[in-house]
Amino acid sequence: FFSNKYSLKVTGAIEDRSINNLDSVERYIAPLNFIDLMAANCSIEYKEVLNSLSMATDKKVPLISTIPMPTMMEIVGWKKRPNFRNKPIWSQVGLIREPDVSVYQTIYYPDPLQTHYRVSVTGNIIIAEHTSPPEQNAGPALMGLLRDDFGIDARSIDNIKQQEQKYGKILPIEEKLRKEFIFYLTEEYGIYSLGRFATWRQLILDDVVKDVAVIERLIESDSV
């Protein structure tokens, strides 16, 4: 009952969700500076126009793409474009300074009358995720969630941020078409798709770590 209500709330459809698996597992948690760490050894060029011609300059140089599949299909002129159903999400994040907090806890909210669907305390970081624009400013909202639902009377929260993510929740497309396009990008342009939106499938960070190892093996085998 609650699983179905939660799925409908976050995606607009009733599908199996990862929260249904209650087995104990080792999980990876991304640090707040995750993107900065990934970009540390990258040479980033800004304001470069990306098109099918610029991507095809040298297929011998492998490219890792996290560009969402709908955008990439448009860039290369892919004709069999499916209906990419998705919903945006909004997140509110803060750093708990007082009291001293170091726990890893998550609460899921299937109630459709509440905008937040998942709230996590990761170490001393609180993250609230919403299906629609939050009704309260991030500071008061996070303080209230900590007090009412986690039993944490936070006296100080710093580094408060609120942002929107366009492809927050995605619904599957035809599996054959999805794999066909990923293979086409690799064969035609030497592009290896990485991440939830580039491969258009539900992922957790653990899956991304595994996919990086798979891409590394594919690149090494192609270079032999």
Side-chain angles (χ1 to χ4, degrees):
F1 177 83
F2 290 112
S3 175
N4 290 341
K5 288 183 72 69
Y6 179 81
S7 177
L8 187 63
K9 177 179 180 178
V10 299
T11 67
I14 298 175
E15 296 190 326
D16 193 28
R17 308 295 301 174
S18 60
I19 61 172
N20 294 337
N21 185 356
L22 301 180
D23 294 338
S24 297
V25 294
E26 183 178 4
R27 296 287 298 273
Y28 295 93
I29 299 175
L32 285 181
N33 62 339
F34 183 57
I35 295 178
D36 293 334
L37 292 173
M38 292 181 65
N41 296 319
C42 297
S43 176
I44 302 175
E45 297 181 12
Y46 295 97
K47 297 183 180 180
E48 288 291 323
V49 177
L50 185 65
N51 54 47
S52 57
L53 292 177
S54 63
M55 291 191 306
T57 54
D58 188 357
K59 288 192 292 184
K60 293 182 179 179
V61 179
L63 300 175
I64 308 297
S65 171
T66 59
I67 296 174
M69 188 175 288
T71 303
M72 189 61 84
M73 281 188 174
E74 184 177 351
I75 290 174
V76 301
W78 187 260
K79 295 181 179 179
K80 297 179 289 184
R81 277 181 248 177
N83 178 23
F84 287 97
R85 294 177 295 164
N86 61 87
K87 292 180 65 177
I89 64 170
W90 288 258
S91 63
Q92 295 176 321
V93 182
L95 189 66
I96 307 169
R97 292 295 187 189
E98 293 184 57
D100 186 11
V101 177
S102 181
V103 295
Y104 295 85
Q105 301 170 347
T106 296
I107 300 176
Y108 296 89
Y109 300 82
D111 187 351
L113 298 180
Q114 296 174 312
T115 63
H116 50 279
Y117 64 90
R118 179 171 58 197
V119 181
S120 301
V121 177
T122 305
N124 65 337
I125 300 166
I126 177 171
I127 305 171
E129 297 165 278
H130 299 255
T131 57
S132 57
E135 298 171 353
Q136 279 187 296
N137 290 333
L142 294 175
M143 292 278 246
L145 289 167
L146 282 170
R147 179 188 63 247
D148 298 338
D149 297 347
F150 289 86
I152 300 173
D153 187 11
R155 295 182 291 277
S156 176
I157 300 180
D158 296 338
N159 298 351
I160 297 173
K161 298 178 183 178
Q162 178 171 312
Q163 61 185 12
E164 178 185 357
Q165 185 174 312
K166 180 180 179 181
Y167 297 115
K169 295 295 179 181
I170 61 176
L171 288 172
I173 60 174
E174 181 188 345
E175 185 67 4
K176 181 180 178 182
L177 174 61
R178 187 185 72 82
K179 291 182 177 179
E180 180 183 354
F181 182 68
I182 293 173
F183 180 76
Y184 168 81
L185 285 181
T186 302
E187 285 295 297
E188 189 69 20
Y189 299 101
I191 291 176
Y192 297 84
S193 303
L194 177 66
R196 175 180 297 180
F197 310 123
T199 61
W200 205 263
R201 75 193 202 276
Q202 290 295 341
L203 294 177
I204 56 178
L205 186 58
D206 308 52
D207 299 316
V208 177
V209 173
K210 295 174 185 176
D211 286 354
V212 168
V214 171
I215 290 174
E216 185 177 22
R217 288 197 298 269
L218 289 173
I219 292 175
E220 290 177 350
S221 63
D222 287 342
S223 63
V224 175

